[in-house]
Amino acid sequence: MVAKFLGWPSWDLDRLFEQGHGDIDDFIARQGYPTYATTNVDTYLQLKHDGPGVVAVSSGFMTYPEATHARLSAIRSSLVIQSSTFVLLPSVDLETCVAETLRRQRARELPSPRSDRREEEVIRERFQVYVGLPVQVITTMRPATAVAQDIVARIASL
């Protein structure tokens, strides 16, 4: 929606990964999470874009261990120094963020979802990383159009 409002191209890293490697959950089940993370960084590196655009990275991308990929540290550094990088979270309150993310995950009806307990652990681990990034945080417990308009307005003010 942000890309559409701005007239920019967009890329969703999860969709690009799936185009090249199939279902993410199946890939992880077959090859393990560390291989998925490394392959996902490689997928990011294959993005070809000149000029402005919107890239949605996978929810765990900024939380992968440094040893995941030789170029991961440089990628992270380049993302956080851009004033147009945003973290999207349901809320900056941990308990609200956990509850809302769990609700959203259940509603997605994924073929092999994690248990609520495991999903909560993952959210809690990632939350601390994401709120600690030196980028703007956008809360998303409002209509998607309002979230997109907020992001567009912030980009326009840069």
Side-chain angles (χ1 to χ4, degrees):
M1 199 176 292
V2 170
K4 182 179 175 183
F5 287 160
L6 293 169
W8 292 354
S10 66
W11 300 269
D12 181 318
L13 193 56
D14 285 346
R15 301 300 74 78
L16 293 171
F17 183 96
E18 289 173 339
Q19 287 173 7
H21 305 283
D23 180 78
I24 292 170
D25 289 332
D26 290 343
F27 185 95
I28 293 170
R30 286 189 321 273
Q31 303 208 25
Y33 192 81
T35 301
Y36 159 73
T38 300
T39 307
N40 204 28
V41 174
D42 286 334
T43 301
Y44 176 87
L45 289 168
Q46 293 171 9
L47 287 175
K48 303 287 187 229
H49 57 90
D50 297 327
V54 175
V55 179
V57 298
S58 308
S59 63
F61 193 86
M62 298 297 278
T63 67
Y64 298 153
E66 287 296 323
T68 296
H69 196 285
R71 296 189 50 198
L72 183 58
S73 181
I75 293 167
R76 286 182 178 151
S77 295
S78 72
L79 289 173
V80 299
I81 64 168
Q82 294 179 42
S83 57
S84 59
T85 295
F86 301 93
V87 168
L88 305 180
L89 293 171
S91 173
V92 293
D93 174 75
L94 174 60
E95 297 309 319
T96 304
C97 185
V98 168
E100 179 62 11
T101 304
L102 283 172
R103 185 194 69 74
R104 290 176 185 181
Q105 290 294 76
R106 280 188 219 111
R108 290 176 61 195
E109 299 180 13
L110 298 172
S112 57
R114 292 185 277 240
S115 69
D116 282 357
R117 184 171 153 261
R118 179 62 187 133
E119 189 68 38
E120 182 176 338
E121 290 172 3
V122 169
I123 297 162
R124 288 180 184 283
E125 290 167 10
R126 292 177 178 175
F127 181 85
Q128 298 307 321
V129 172
Y130 281 112
V131 296
L133 292 172
V135 300
Q136 295 184 66
V137 175
I138 305 286
T139 57
T140 61
M141 290 182 61
R142 52 201 167 122
T145 302
V147 173
Q149 288 171 337
D150 186 2
I151 294 169
V152 169
R154 291 181 192 213
I155 290 171
S157 72
L158 299 176

